[in-house]
Protein backbone atom coordinates (compact mmCIF):
# COMPACT_ATOMS: atom_id res chain seq x y z
CA UNK A 1 0.00 0.00 0.00
CA UNK A 2 1.29 3.47 -0.82
CA UNK A 3 0.12 6.59 0.98
CA UNK A 4 0.67 10.21 0.02
CA UNK A 5 0.21 12.51 3.00
CA UNK A 6 -1.23 15.21 0.77
CA UNK A 7 1.99 17.06 0.28
CA UNK A 8 1.88 16.71 -3.51
CA UNK A 9 0.54 20.30 -3.55
CA UNK A 10 3.93 21.43 -2.23
CA UNK A 11 6.55 20.21 -4.67
CA UNK A 12 10.08 19.96 -3.43
CA UNK A 13 12.95 17.59 -2.82
CA UNK A 14 11.30 15.87 0.15
CA UNK A 15 8.82 13.14 -0.69
CA UNK A 16 5.84 12.53 1.55
CA UNK A 17 4.84 9.28 -0.08
CA UNK A 18 5.24 6.18 2.05
CA UNK A 19 4.99 2.51 1.23
CA UNK A 20 3.27 0.59 4.00
CA UNK A 21 2.91 -3.07 4.76
CA UNK A 22 -0.23 -3.85 6.73
CA UNK A 23 -1.72 -7.24 7.50
CA UNK A 24 -3.74 -9.05 10.11
CA UNK A 25 -3.13 -12.35 11.77
CA UNK A 26 -6.60 -13.35 12.89
CA UNK A 27 -6.39 -15.84 15.72
CA UNK A 28 -2.80 -14.87 16.48
CA UNK A 29 -3.46 -12.03 18.90
CA UNK A 30 -2.08 -12.40 22.41
CA UNK A 31 -5.38 -13.41 24.02
CA UNK A 32 -6.12 -16.10 21.43
CA UNK A 33 -2.52 -17.30 21.64
CA UNK A 34 -2.90 -17.63 25.43
CA UNK A 35 -5.95 -19.86 24.94
CA UNK A 36 -4.05 -22.06 22.49
CA UNK A 37 -1.07 -22.16 24.87
CA UNK A 38 -3.27 -23.33 27.77
CA UNK A 39 -4.72 -26.05 25.51
CA UNK A 40 -1.17 -27.10 24.62
CA UNK A 41 -0.19 -27.31 28.31
CA UNK A 42 -3.28 -29.38 29.08
CA UNK A 43 -2.46 -31.77 26.24
CA UNK A 44 1.23 -32.04 27.16
CA UNK A 45 0.38 -32.77 30.78
CA UNK A 46 -2.29 -35.34 29.83
CA UNK A 47 -4.86 -33.81 32.15
CA UNK A 48 -7.71 -36.21 32.77
CA UNK A 49 -10.90 -34.14 33.13
CA UNK A 50 -12.49 -36.79 35.36
CA UNK A 51 -9.88 -36.71 38.11
CA UNK A 52 -10.15 -33.73 40.45
CA UNK A 53 -7.78 -30.81 40.85
CA UNK A 54 -4.64 -30.64 38.72
CA UNK A 55 -1.54 -28.47 38.99
CA UNK A 56 0.39 -27.58 35.86
CA UNK A 57 3.65 -25.64 35.77
CA UNK A 58 3.37 -22.62 33.46
CA UNK A 59 6.61 -20.88 32.41
CA UNK A 60 4.62 -17.94 31.03
CA UNK A 61 3.03 -16.80 34.28
CA UNK A 62 4.97 -14.72 36.82
CA UNK A 63 6.88 -16.74 39.39
CA UNK A 64 4.53 -18.19 42.01
CA UNK A 65 1.28 -16.92 40.46
CA UNK A 66 -1.60 -19.40 40.68
CA UNK A 67 -4.39 -19.33 38.12
CA UNK A 68 -7.29 -21.75 38.36
CA UNK A 69 -9.37 -22.34 35.27
CA UNK A 70 -12.51 -24.34 34.65
CA UNK A 71 -14.29 -25.08 31.41
CA UNK A 72 -16.67 -27.63 29.95
CA UNK A 73 -13.91 -30.27 29.82
CA UNK A 74 -11.73 -29.52 32.84
CA UNK A 75 -13.39 -28.87 36.18
CA UNK A 76 -10.42 -27.35 38.02
CA UNK A 77 -6.94 -26.93 36.65
CA UNK A 78 -4.48 -24.69 38.45
CA UNK A 79 -1.51 -23.26 36.58
CA UNK A 80 1.49 -22.33 38.71
CA UNK A 81 3.79 -19.66 37.33
CA UNK A 82 7.46 -20.50 36.84
CA UNK A 83 8.38 -17.00 35.67
CA UNK A 84 10.79 -18.43 33.10
CA UNK A 85 10.73 -15.99 30.18
CA UNK A 86 13.25 -17.92 28.07
CA UNK A 87 11.40 -21.22 28.46
CA UNK A 88 8.11 -19.44 27.75
CA UNK A 89 9.42 -18.05 24.45
CA UNK A 90 10.65 -21.50 23.40
CA UNK A 91 7.29 -23.10 24.16
CA UNK A 92 5.43 -20.45 22.13
CA UNK A 93 7.16 -21.11 18.80
CA UNK A 94 4.95 -24.08 17.82
CA UNK A 95 1.91 -21.78 18.13
CA UNK A 96 3.29 -19.60 15.31
CA UNK A 97 2.51 -22.38 12.84
CA UNK A 98 5.70 -21.69 10.86
CA UNK A 99 5.74 -24.98 8.89
CA UNK A 100 2.49 -24.05 7.11
CA UNK A 101 2.73 -23.84 3.33
CA UNK A 102 3.82 -20.42 2.14
CA UNK A 103 1.98 -19.56 -1.10
CA UNK A 104 4.02 -16.38 -1.63
CA UNK A 105 7.46 -16.14 -0.10
CA UNK A 106 8.65 -14.91 2.34
CA UNK A 107 6.12 -15.78 5.05
CA UNK A 108 6.24 -14.97 8.71
CA UNK A 109 3.73 -17.25 10.41
CA UNK A 110 0.72 -19.32 9.47
CA UNK A 111 1.58 -19.02 5.77
CA UNK A 112 0.99 -15.23 5.66
CA UNK A 113 3.23 -13.25 3.28
CA UNK A 114 5.46 -10.65 4.90
CA UNK A 115 8.04 -8.67 2.98
CA UNK A 116 11.55 -8.61 4.41
CA UNK A 117 12.07 -5.62 6.68
CA UNK A 118 15.47 -4.15 7.46
CA UNK A 119 14.88 -2.58 10.87
CA UNK A 120 18.17 -0.70 10.68
CA UNK A 121 17.04 1.63 7.91
CA UNK A 122 13.23 1.44 8.15
CA UNK A 123 10.96 2.71 10.85
CA UNK A 124 8.59 0.23 12.43
CA UNK A 125 5.55 1.43 14.30
CA UNK A 126 3.93 -1.08 16.63
CA UNK A 127 0.41 -0.41 17.75
CA UNK A 128 -2.07 -1.91 20.14
CA UNK A 129 -0.59 -4.99 21.86
CA UNK A 130 2.98 -4.02 20.98
CA UNK A 131 2.67 -0.66 22.68
CA UNK A 132 0.72 -1.84 25.72
CA UNK A 133 3.07 -4.76 26.31
CA UNK A 134 6.20 -2.64 26.16
CA UNK A 135 4.98 0.48 27.93
CA UNK A 136 2.10 -0.11 30.38
CA UNK A 137 4.09 -2.28 32.78
CA UNK A 138 7.66 -2.62 31.56
CA UNK A 139 8.01 1.10 30.79
CA UNK A 140 10.22 0.49 27.74
CA UNK A 141 7.95 2.10 25.13
CA UNK A 142 9.33 4.58 22.63
CA UNK A 143 12.24 3.71 20.37
CA UNK A 144 12.37 -0.09 20.27
CA UNK A 145 15.45 -1.67 21.78
CA UNK A 146 15.14 -5.45 21.81
CA UNK A 147 17.79 -6.09 24.48
CA UNK A 148 16.17 -3.58 26.84
CA UNK A 149 12.74 -5.16 26.27
CA UNK A 150 14.03 -8.70 26.91
CA UNK A 151 15.86 -7.62 30.06
CA UNK A 152 12.73 -5.91 31.45
CA UNK A 153 10.49 -8.87 30.53
CA UNK A 154 12.84 -11.41 32.14
CA UNK A 155 13.01 -9.35 35.31
CA UNK A 156 9.23 -8.97 35.49
CA UNK A 157 8.56 -12.67 34.88
CA UNK A 158 11.12 -13.83 37.45
CA UNK A 159 9.84 -11.52 40.19
CA UNK A 160 7.77 -13.28 42.84
CA UNK A 161 4.04 -12.86 42.19
CA UNK A 162 3.34 -11.56 45.71
CA UNK A 163 5.84 -8.72 45.20
CA UNK A 164 4.37 -7.90 41.78
CA UNK A 165 0.85 -8.03 43.15
CA UNK A 166 1.75 -5.66 45.99
CA UNK A 167 3.32 -3.24 43.50
CA UNK A 168 0.19 -3.39 41.33
CA UNK A 169 -2.12 -2.74 44.30
CA UNK A 170 0.00 0.23 45.35
CA UNK A 171 -0.76 1.91 42.01
CA UNK A 172 2.69 1.55 40.45
CA UNK A 173 1.15 0.56 37.09
CA UNK A 174 -1.80 2.93 36.55
CA UNK A 175 -2.07 2.21 32.81
CA UNK A 176 -2.56 -1.55 33.33
CA UNK A 177 -5.65 -3.44 34.40
CA UNK A 178 -5.55 -6.71 36.35
CA UNK A 179 -5.82 -8.90 33.21
CA UNK A 180 -2.93 -7.19 31.45
CA UNK A 181 -0.85 -7.35 34.60
CA UNK A 182 -1.39 -11.09 35.15
CA UNK A 183 -0.53 -11.97 31.55
CA UNK A 184 2.34 -9.52 31.04
CA UNK A 185 4.95 -12.28 31.06
CA UNK A 186 3.07 -14.30 28.44
CA UNK A 187 2.31 -11.26 26.28
CA UNK A 188 5.94 -10.09 26.37
CA UNK A 189 7.11 -13.48 25.12
CA UNK A 190 4.37 -13.61 22.48
CA UNK A 191 5.10 -10.12 21.11
CA UNK A 192 8.79 -11.02 20.87
CA UNK A 193 8.01 -14.35 19.19
CA UNK A 194 5.84 -12.85 16.49
Amino acid sequence: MEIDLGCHDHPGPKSHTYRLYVTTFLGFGANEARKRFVDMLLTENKVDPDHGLHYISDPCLPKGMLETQSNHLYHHVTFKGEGNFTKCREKLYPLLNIPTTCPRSPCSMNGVFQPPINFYNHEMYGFSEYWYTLDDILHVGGIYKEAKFIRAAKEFCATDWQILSDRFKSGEFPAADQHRFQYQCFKSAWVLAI
Side-chain angles (χ1 to χ4, degrees):
M1 168 188 299
E2 195 167 282
I3 293 180
D4 184 328
L5 296 178
C7 298
H8 59 279
D9 296 334
H10 306 286
K14 187 169 181 172
S15 172
H16 295 281
T17 301
Y18 298 89
R19 292 184 354 189
L20 302 177
Y21 166 74
V22 179
T23 193
T24 183
F25 293 96
L26 291 176
F28 284 82
N31 294 329
E32 286 302 311
R34 177 68 191 169
K35 290 176 190 173
R36 292 194 340 263
F37 182 69
V38 165
D39 288 344
M40 185 176 78
L41 288 177
L42 292 170
T43 301
E44 285 178 358
N45 288 279
K46 297 177 178 69
V47 173
D48 182 350
D50 298 323
H51 289 89
L53 184 63
H54 302 278
Y55 289 92
I56 296 176
S57 188
D58 185 340
C60 298
L61 291 178
K63 183 179 175 184
M65 180 184 155
L66 297 176
E67 177 191 39
T68 300
Q69 290 190 9
S70 298
N71 66 24
H72 66 285
L73 293 176
Y74 303 97
H75 301 292
H76 296 316
V77 177
T78 299
F79 296 91
K80 183 172 183 180
E82 289 179 34
N84 188 330
F85 183 75
T86 302
K87 184 176 177 183
C88 177
R89 279 182 65 194
E90 290 168 4
K91 289 191 77 65
L92 292 179
Y93 284 114
L95 300 179
L96 296 174
N97 207 13
I98 299 293
T100 299
T101 303
C102 181
R104 179 177 172 212
S105 211
C107 289
S108 58
M109 60 185 177
N110 205 35
V112 175
F113 169 75
Q114 181 172 318
I117 301 169
N118 180 342
F119 290 104
Y120 293 104
N121 64 3
H122 289 88
E123 292 182 40
M124 189 265 196
Y125 293 89
F127 297 93
S128 192
E129 194 63 54
Y130 281 92
W131 177 256
Y132 304 134
T133 298
L134 272 70
D135 198 61
D136 285 1
I137 295 169
L138 302 180
H139 307 296
V140 294
I143 296 173
Y144 179 72
K145 294 186 181 348
E146 183 179 61
K148 186 177 180 182
F149 173 40
I150 291 171
R151 201 170 30 258
K154 282 181 174 182
E155 181 182 321
F156 179 87
C157 295
T159 301
D160 186 75
W161 176 245
Q162 188 59 54
I163 293 169
L164 291 174
S165 187
D166 289 346
R167 290 171 58 195
F168 180 78
K169 289 174 189 169
S170 75
E172 188 175 328
F173 307 98
D177 62 18
Q178 183 72 32
H179 182 268
R180 168 154 303 286
F181 194 73
Q182 290 176 313
Y183 296 108
Q184 177 66 36
C185 184
F186 175 84
K187 289 183 177 197
S188 293
W190 184 248
V191 163
L192 199 57
I194 60 172

